[in-house]
Amino acid sequence: MDTKYFLLLAGLFSLSMLSCKEHKADLKAEEAAIMKTDSAWAASAGAMKDVDKIISYWADDAVVIPPGEPIVKGKDALRRFVEDSKKIPGFHISWKSSDPHFAPDGKMAYLYSENLTTMNDSSGNRISFAGRGYTVWRKEDNGEWKCVVDIWNSPP
């Protein structure tokens, strides 16, 4: 084999191996981004003013599993879920997420959260329910983090 031909093949092989190497995610930057996104979502849900903004944090194929309720799948069902929540007298929800964990490629993550839901009972008295849950997030092609699974329950 000609030495020039061999060197050319070796160089092309090396370049192809470098291009196949997976991009290493900056997990500290991803952590800051996902926590900022989750915090903005919590603020939007707490204000309960803009349904479109609230549901924008869920992916189109998101699944929500609320305690004691049917599973909610997809944006149309999520819109109804949020709109129905707005109709509950005195409804308010808040949460604080923590402890993010990422897939090695930085494209999936999950967060632990503690939440508080408040509403009026049938007598008009304010009642609150504490919750704890996990959200699973996916980094979309446009770089935005979207929640794909949202599940919570009541602590013991």
Side-chain angles (χ1 to χ4, degrees), residues 2-52:
D2 185 305
T3 304
K4 289 180 186 178
Y5 182 70
F6 176 77
L7 291 174
L8 176 64
L9 283 178
L12 288 174
F13 178 75
S14 297
L15 285 174
S16 69
M17 294 311 297
L18 287 173
S19 67
C20 290
K21 193 172 184 178
E22 193 171 316
H23 171 71
K24 183 121 172 117
D26 180 351
L27 297 183
K28 286 290 182 195
E30 296 303 341
E31 180 177 336
I34 200 169
M35 296 305 288
K36 180 179 178 181
T37 300
D38 185 75
S39 180
W41 186 22
S44 182
M48 202 49 96
K49 292 185 188 317
D50 186 347
V51 172
D52 289 329

Side-chain angles (χ1 to χ4, degrees), residues 53-107:
K53 180 72 173 170
I54 294 166
I55 66 170
S56 74
Y57 291 93
W58 280 300
D60 291 342
D61 59 344
V63 175
V64 175
I65 307 173
E69 298 291 327
I71 293 173
V72 183
K73 292 182 182 180
K75 283 286 179 99
D76 290 337
L78 288 166
R79 175 178 299 287
R80 286 189 302 277
F81 179 74
V82 173
E83 288 172 346
D84 289 347
S85 296
K86 280 183 72 164
K87 294 175 187 173
I88 298 169
F91 181 84
H92 181 265
I93 188 165
S94 62
W95 70 84
K96 177 77 174 157
S97 296
S98 62
D99 203 21
H101 293 272
F102 290 86
D105 67 359
K107 294 183 180 188

